[in-house]
Amino acid sequence: WASVWTNTVVWVVVVVTLTLASSLALAQFLNKPFRGRKLLRLVIILPWASSVVMTTTVFNYGLQSDVGLFNRLLVDTHILEAARGFTKDPTSAFWVAVFVAIYVSIPFTTYTILAGLQSVPRDVLEAAHVDGANAAQRYWQIVFPLLRPAIAAATLINIINVFNSLPILKILNETPGYNTGHTTTTLIFQYKSTLGPGVASALSIVNFGFCLVVIAAYLVIVKPTKEVE
């Protein structure tokens, strides 16, 4: 159980944190005018529009040691000396799952933050610029506080989605059984265990309570609904 809960916390915290950081930077870039911006926005949304099972399966086959295209690319570019079975080892499979979860979560989070960026009043930014505020000051003292509702919405939805990302872990975890492969969280543990539907249902209530605790802690610490002065 210690390994299960540790993996669960690491899974949720790492995926949500890196997704938010990556999406925040990407949204800033997409908010600037440049040639091909519409096409890039369309490309970015594709992982979110595609099936999670399909996307995960592509990564699963692409990382196979014998026929995987990703493995072949890593070997041909001399990043790896020899092909490696990333999904065969529990530790590397877990981090591959983390990467895939971030990959499929970035589009929605980016568009949510981008919507918040486009609602920032331009006249306020121009007034701050006239008053002598530099780019960093305008961002951290004006833009970022106004993004708090968008970031809060993206964070809460990501916590719920990532906590329940059973397909990613199921497809990429090729090591059978919890006793032989520790790449698991509470959900995948329920799925693979033979404890029966009664115990699985009880554990799902524990999952729900755990998710509520995480969201409540986020709301108390970050205070995303607090008015911006």
Side-chain angles (χ1 to χ4, degrees):
W1 274 105
S3 298
V4 171
W5 283 107
T6 299
N7 286 337
T8 301
V9 173
V10 172
W11 167 256
V12 175
V13 172
V14 172
V15 172
V16 173
T17 301
L18 293 183
T19 297
L20 286 173
S22 303
S23 299
L24 191 60
L26 190 57
Q28 303 289 338
F29 177 71
L30 293 177
N31 196 41
K32 298 182 180 296
F34 58 89
R35 181 176 296 180
R37 183 175 66 171
K38 292 183 179 180
L39 179 61
L40 182 57
R41 288 182 175 181
L42 178 62
V43 171
I44 289 174
I45 204 174
L46 289 179
W48 186 47
S50 303
S51 166
V52 174
V53 173
M54 181 185 71
T55 302
T56 309
T57 303
V58 169
F59 276 94
N60 186 33
Y61 282 112
L63 290 171
Q64 296 297 314
S65 58
D66 48 358
V67 295
L69 293 179
F70 298 151
N71 249 314
R72 179 65 181 271
L73 176 63
L74 293 173
V75 172
D76 289 346
T77 54
H78 303 290
I79 296 177
L80 293 178
E81 294 182 359
R84 178 182 177 185
F86 289 94
T87 58
K88 307 297 183 181
D89 177 71
T91 302
S92 60
F94 180 82
W95 291 108
V96 169
V98 168
F99 176 82
V100 174
I102 294 172
Y103 176 75
V104 299
S105 301
I106 280 179
F108 168 78
T109 311
T110 299
Y111 270 79
T112 302
I113 297 176
L114 181 61
L117 281 173
Q118 293 179 341
S119 65
V120 175
R122 297 299 174 185
D123 54 346
V124 175
L125 295 176
E126 293 174 359
H129 180 67
V130 171
D131 290 339
N134 57 36
Q137 290 173 329
R138 293 196 299 272
Y139 179 78
W140 291 110
Q141 297 182 20
I142 298 176
V143 177
F144 191 77
L146 292 175
L147 284 178
R148 187 179 294 166
I151 293 176
T155 301
L156 297 179
I157 293 176
N158 270 302
I159 289 174
I160 296 172
N161 287 341
V162 171
F163 193 82
N164 292 282
S165 293
L166 178 62
I168 297 176
L169 294 167
K170 177 65 179 69
I171 294 172
L172 291 175
N173 183 20
E174 295 188 10
T175 307
Y178 177 71
N179 292 328
T180 55
H182 293 270
T183 309
T184 185
T185 63
T186 53
L187 285 176
I188 198 72
F189 177 66
Q190 293 171 33
Y191 181 85
K192 291 187 172 184
S193 66
T194 58
L195 299 178
V199 177
S201 299
L203 290 175
S204 68
I205 301 300
V206 176
N207 279 351
F208 179 72
F210 179 77
C211 197
L212 284 181
V213 170
V214 173
I215 293 175
Y218 171 78
L219 293 175
V220 171
I221 296 172
V222 180
K223 296 182 175 63
T225 58
K226 182 180 179 181
E227 293 293 333
V228 178
E229 296 180 358

